């Protein structure tokens, strides 16, 4: 597992397929701030709530200069179903090999009900216009997280 990112670190570059199979790179967003959030699985209650919260606030965030990208280990086909079912507007990227999840320290050891296992650590990394980490938030809650980001960013 990679070291957790810190403000000032260079955000690891990535290129991943979106829900339609098109390649999307972090570099495509150079000159804009990017909220990259990592979530465990499409079509699950917490992840649906979080994705809907980002979608509901997307106009506010993009208007303030932020693009939003959600990354999970799901395959593009599942992301397409997730997007259609929930009417999501955020960009969803597939990382089935977990290479980007690992590079961002968003995959690792988790504990739940006394069991330890490997899984996606719900995380949000905010990248500035030059590709540097502005905020690195790990073990975030699905509910209320988007409202907290908006408040913390002063949007």
């Amino acid at each position: 597992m990679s070291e957790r990112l810190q403000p000032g670190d260079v955000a690891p570059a990535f290129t991943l397929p979106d829900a339609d199979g098109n390649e999307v790179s972090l570099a495509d967003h150079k000159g804009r701030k990017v909220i990259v959030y990592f979530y465990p699985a499409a079509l699950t209650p917490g992840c649906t709530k979080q994705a809907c919260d980002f979608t509901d606030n997307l106009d506010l965030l993009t208007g303030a200069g932020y693009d939003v990208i959600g990354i999970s280990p799901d395959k593009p086909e599942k992301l397409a179903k997730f997007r259609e079912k929930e009417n999501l507007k955020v960009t969803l990227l597939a990382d089935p090999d977990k290479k980007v999840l690992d590079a961002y320290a968003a995959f690792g050891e988790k504990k739940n009900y006394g069991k330890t296992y490997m899984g996606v650590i719900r995380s949000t990394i905010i990248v500035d216009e030059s590709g540097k980490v502005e905020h690195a938030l790990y073990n975030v809650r699905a509910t209320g997280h988007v409202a907290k980001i908006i408040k913390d960013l002063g949007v």
Side-chain angles (χ1 to χ4, degrees):
M1 186 178 113
S2 301
E3 286 287 311
R4 288 189 168 183
L5 297 174
Q6 302 294 326
D9 289 350
V10 173
F14 62 79
T15 301
L16 292 170
D18 68 8
D20 300 313
N22 301 314
E23 299 279 301
V24 175
S25 299
L26 181 61
D28 298 342
H29 298 270
K30 198 124 182 108
R32 292 202 33 101
K33 293 182 181 218
V34 186
I35 297 171
V36 183
Y37 78 96
F38 298 91
Y39 62 100
L43 300 166
T44 57
C47 298
T48 297
K49 173 82 178 105
Q50 188 176 23
C52 288
D53 278 354
F54 272 118
T55 292
D56 292 346
N57 290 288
L58 195 58
D59 289 344
L60 178 70
L61 290 165
T62 53
Y66 292 90
D67 293 336
V68 179
I69 298 173
I71 299 177
S72 74
D74 298 305
K75 293 193 173 359
E77 303 78 38
K78 187 173 179 189
L79 297 179
K81 276 188 199 143
F82 187 34
R83 181 186 64 200
E84 303 313 314
K85 181 175 186 277
E86 301 299 338
N87 204 18
L88 301 173
K89 303 277 185 265
V90 295
T91 301
L92 300 174
L93 302 183
D95 185 19
D97 300 335
K98 302 177 187 75
K99 286 188 171 88
V100 177
L101 283 155
D102 197 46
Y104 278 77
F107 187 83
E109 203 172 86
K110 294 175 71 169
K111 287 184 171 61
N112 199 11
Y113 301 112
K115 288 194 171 100
T116 301
Y117 60 97
M118 296 299 283
V120 175
I121 298 161
R122 194 181 301 276
S123 311
T124 301
I125 309 300
I126 300 171
V127 182
D128 71 13
E129 299 90 340
S130 64
K132 290 226 163 79
V133 174
E134 201 172 273
H135 300 279
L137 311 162
Y138 290 95
N139 294 312
V140 301
R141 297 211 169 281
T143 307
H145 179 59
V146 175
K148 184 178 178 347
I149 289 173
I150 289 168
K151 183 173 176 270
D152 290 352
L153 295 176
V155 174

